[in-house]
Amino acid sequence: MYLTVLFLYNGVRSLSYIALYRKFRPIKFSDVVGQEHITKTIRNQIINNRVGHAYLFSGGRGSGKTSTAKILARAVNCEHLVDGEPCNECEICRQAIEGSLIDITEMDAASNNGVDNIRDIREEVEFIPTKAKYRVYIIDEVHMLSTGAFNALLKTLEEPPAHVIFILATTEPQKLPTTILSRCQRFDFKRISQNDIVKRLKYICDESNVNIEENALKMISNLADGAMRDAISILDRCISEDNENITENVVRELTGVPKFEYLIEMSEMILDKNIEKIVELSEKIIVDGKDINVFLWELIKMMRDILMLKAKCAITSYAEDELAKLQMIADKSTKEDVAYVITELSNLESKMKWSSEQGIIFETGLIKICLDEDKKAENNSTRVEKKMPINTQAKQLDTFVNEDKEGLKYKVLTKLKENGKIVVYSKLINTKIEKGQDNLVHIIFDGQVDAFTKATLQKDETKIAIKEAVISVCGEDVSVKYDNLK
Ligand SMILES: [Zn+2]
């Protein structure tokens, strides 16, 4: 009965109070993920009583250096060692876990980098431990120590008392003096593989009664980029949003990665040159408050993956059904078209960096890619099928994008967007809007428009929408006239 209650408390109730990272921090060598080459060696040293006096743990953030250091600090002092692992139950282990055992000192060299901090340690090491067998010093980010501090540390490392162990941890071992390096047993921690991260996250979710999709696990491990700590903290955020079932979209939502459906739809629409849908979807993304730069970056990545599929290369970061959709898009586009879109999207990305009107640049940029591609197609006599009428000049869009932001057309189109008249907006992008005499505003078309555009423009509600936008921009009653609508 007692056990059941305890389990419930630890497993479910406490979830909202204790961060997963702390709750599932490895407390035994066998819990440390992806670093078996290190933990096995250290365990053998402990079993055979051949522990060193100075260790250097190097490796990327979140790879398990500090956790391993803490386990080692307990293992050398544990009263009931089990197969080279600390028991985590004896008084020494319990105090060490609570952080109240004064024989184990953790120091962050980033904030204690002076010679005085190391001198304190030098004086202290002369005394025998109070309770434990060894005094253990864990110095994190050790490359941050000042030169004076390194020299002071070196003196201790040259002749360490038998009851002292130093564990130095760093993300940048190349910044350490060779004199220090040569005194330490060095262990290099690897980036943790995606597979290992997925496995560990799955274990944590099972233990915590959290449902999570396989795709969501993959996405998190992808984002964590080899750092288990980051992976767990993303998972933590997902759970704390009170998500009973964590889907890939929950992860995307929380981390700002655009929804897969949006990305795939946009890829398809661009390659199909479906301007209307592009405008519609762009609006949705902007309204959703997504970071357009992140979206564009993800879009470029997806286009690259489509190109990879066309080149018959294997890509692994997708679920089966996602891959099937990408393959479908790849099958109906040409290599040249995809490559062209990637180049143009990259250009758009750099153009957006310098603009304060990112939404507009993004949207018009995407449309321009379609129009330019059509122009390209027009010159290409071998291409039979054309999906969009060539009634527009891409050059005009450039003019529009670069146009003086005080321009009447810019203001009218912005107003239409604000009013949610996106289709009307898209139909007017390639026109000129000029104010003539007698309060008459001219919307001037250039060349032939397709039947659908024409029908839309002739609708009363379209005319009213345009008139409303023009009047609110001009601040006076005006009439609107279409010129050259053929
Ligand atoms: Zn113990």
Side-chain angles (χ1 to χ4, degrees):
M1 185 63 196
Y2 174 69
L3 271 178
T4 317
V5 173
L6 194 71
F7 168 74
L8 272 177
Y9 181 78
N10 279 334
V12 185
R13 281 304 194 73
S14 58
L15 256 184
S16 45
Y17 307 110
I18 304 176
L20 289 179
Y21 174 62
R22 288 177 58 195
K23 188 166 183 278
F24 288 95
R25 183 162 201 157
I27 55 168
K28 289 187 296 181
F29 287 121
S30 55
D31 294 338
V32 179
V33 174
Q35 312 296 353
E36 288 76 13
H37 60 299
I38 294 171
T39 50
K40 201 178 155 202
T41 310
I42 295 179
R43 268 171 76 178
N44 279 331
Q45 290 185 350
I46 293 165
I47 292 168
N48 298 313
N49 238 330
R50 307 176 83 98
V51 179
H53 287 285
Y55 289 88
L56 176 68
F57 291 174
S58 70
R61 48 190 298 271
S63 56
K65 302 182 300 291
T66 318
S67 297
T68 307
K70 288 180 175 187
I71 298 165
L72 173 57
R74 285 199 301 278
V76 294
N77 285 316
C78 174
E79 292 165 342
H80 305 290
L81 208 59
V82 189
D83 201 18
E85 298 268 22
C87 74
N88 294 323
E89 279 166 9
C90 68
E91 204 191 335
I92 297 272
C93 280
R94 283 211 320 267
Q95 286 190 5
I97 288 172
E98 285 167 14
S100 62
L101 183 69
I102 56 170
D103 295 323
I104 298 179
T105 306
E106 280 177 54
M107 189 182 111
D108 176 17
S111 43
N112 307 285
N113 61 356
V115 67
D116 290 344
N117 302 107
I118 300 295
R119 280 213 185 108
D120 288 346
I121 294 179
R122 274 187 67 194
E123 281 167 24
E124 205 180 61
V125 295
E126 298 304 328
F127 297 95
I128 57 161
T130 56
K131 264 189 185 162
K133 234 189 293 179
Y134 294 94
R135 278 188 186 278
V136 183
Y137 294 90
I138 300 171
I139 307 181
D140 220 346
E141 299 300 335
V142 67
H143 62 274
M144 305 285 278
L145 288 181
S146 66
T147 314
F150 270 131
N151 287 334
L153 179 63
L154 187 61
K155 290 220 169 77
T156 316
L157 291 182
E158 276 167 350
E159 281 173 57
H163 59 261
V164 171
I165 296 173
F166 280 95
I167 307 169
L168 315 178
T170 181
T171 48
E172 296 178 71
Q174 75 283 359
K175 288 190 179 164
L176 295 182
T178 46
T179 44
I180 298 274
L181 288 172
S182 66
R183 298 274 159 194
C184 298
Q185 280 188 50
R186 177 167 169 179
F187 290 99
D188 292 323
F189 285 64
K190 293 189 290 194
R191 281 174 83 251
I192 303 170
S193 75
Q194 278 211 22
N195 256 347
D196 281 344
I197 292 183
V198 166
K199 255 193 258 163
R200 180 72 180 164
L201 293 181
K202 218 179 214 165
Y203 169 80
I204 292 175
C205 289
D206 283 349
E207 289 291 303
S208 313
N209 290 332
V210 169
N211 289 324
I212 186 161
E213 271 183 5
E214 189 72 31
N215 283 358
L217 287 171
K218 274 192 190 162
M219 175 115 235
I220 295 175
S221 68
N222 204 349
L223 287 165
D225 196 26
M228 185 59 87
R229 185 169 49 211
D230 293 354
I232 296 178
S233 94
I234 295 169
L235 179 64
D236 225 350
R237 273 166 61 199
C238 294
I239 294 175
S240 66
E241 284 292 297
D242 204 21
N243 286 302
E244 297 205 334
N245 188 31
I246 301 173
T247 60
E248 187 186 342
N249 274 339
V250 168
V251 181
R252 286 179 179 276
E253 203 68 42
L254 270 170
T255 53
V257 179
K259 283 185 188 154
F260 182 79
E261 294 100 273
Y262 282 6
L263 285 168
I264 199 130
E265 198 183 339
M266 190 62 101
S267 305
E268 194 174 6
M269 292 309 124
I270 292 173
L271 288 165
D272 280 356
K273 297 186 240 33
N274 188 335
I275 294 183
E276 224 159 297
K277 277 277 167 57
I278 290 174
V279 173
E280 208 174 279
L281 191 57
S282 304
E283 292 300 317
K284 229 194 257 174
I285 292 157
I286 295 166
V287 169
D288 264 13
K290 288 280 171 234
D291 185 327
I292 305 171
N293 289 297
V294 175
F295 185 85
L296 193 52
W297 183 69
E298 290 277 327
L299 193 60
I300 294 170
K301 274 204 315 194
M302 183 169 276
M303 285 289 180
R304 272 184 204 143
D305 289 338
I306 293 173
L307 193 60
M308 296 279 277
L309 285 176
K310 287 225 69 87
K312 306 236 180 314
C313 296
I315 50 174
T316 54
S317 49
Y318 295 94
E320 246 171 70
D321 56 329
E322 294 176 349
L323 203 56
K325 279 184 209 159
L326 284 185
Q327 187 66 57
M328 194 256 302
I329 296 177
D331 288 345
K332 63 175 184 175
S333 5
T334 68
K335 238 184 264 178
E336 292 72 25
D337 279 352
V338 182
Y340 168 79
V341 169
I342 292 172
T343 315
E344 289 302 310
L345 288 177
S346 307
N347 291 342
L348 180 59
E349 195 190 18
S350 43
K351 202 170 171 186
M352 266 171 55
K353 280 192 191 118
W354 306 103
S355 170
S356 54
E357 294 281 353
Q358 293 200 332
I360 291 219
I361 302 286
F362 172 70
E363 210 172 61
T364 45
L366 292 183
I367 297 168
K368 184 174 175 297
I369 292 173
C370 300
L371 296 176
D372 279 354
E373 224 201 328
D374 246 354
K375 243 171 67 179
K376 217 180 57 181
E378 195 186 25
N379 298 332
N380 183 354
S381 56
T382 57
R383 190 158 163 166
V384 184
E385 190 192 9
K386 273 187 281 178
K387 282 166 187 142
M388 288 290 295
I390 319 289
N391 63 341
T392 44
Q393 295 292 314
K395 225 177 139 192
Q396 266 190 308
L397 257 173
D398 256 349
T399 323
F400 171 53
V401 172
N402 300 325
E403 197 177 20
D404 177 14
K405 297 277 188 263
E406 302 302 311
L408 178 61
K409 178 178 166 185
Y410 176 82
K411 286 181 181 166
V412 170
L413 290 199
T414 306
K415 190 45 105 186
L416 282 169
K417 268 173 56 164
E418 279 171 17
N419 294 346
K421 308 293 177 191
I422 303 305
V423 174
V424 182
Y425 162 88
S426 72
K427 298 296 176 203
L428 297 190
I429 282 179
N430 293 293
T431 63
K432 281 183 193 146
I433 302 183
E434 284 169 8
K435 199 169 170 203
Q437 287 172 333
D438 302 326
N439 282 355
L440 194 60
V441 168
H442 300 264
I443 297 180
I444 307 154
F445 294 85
D446 182 24
Q448 196 85 32
V449 301
D450 64 293
F452 176 69
T453 300
K454 205 167 173 181
T456 308
L457 289 164
Q458 298 295 9
K459 278 187 193 164
D460 282 346
E461 54 183 275
T462 306
K463 289 180 178 168
I464 292 168
I466 296 174
K467 195 173 173 185
E468 270 175 8
V470 173
I471 289 174
S472 96
V473 166
C474 296
E476 54 186 345
D477 194 15
V478 289
S479 305
V480 180
K481 185 173 173 282
Y482 296 145
D483 284 358
N484 199 25
L485 178 58
K486 289 185 285 197

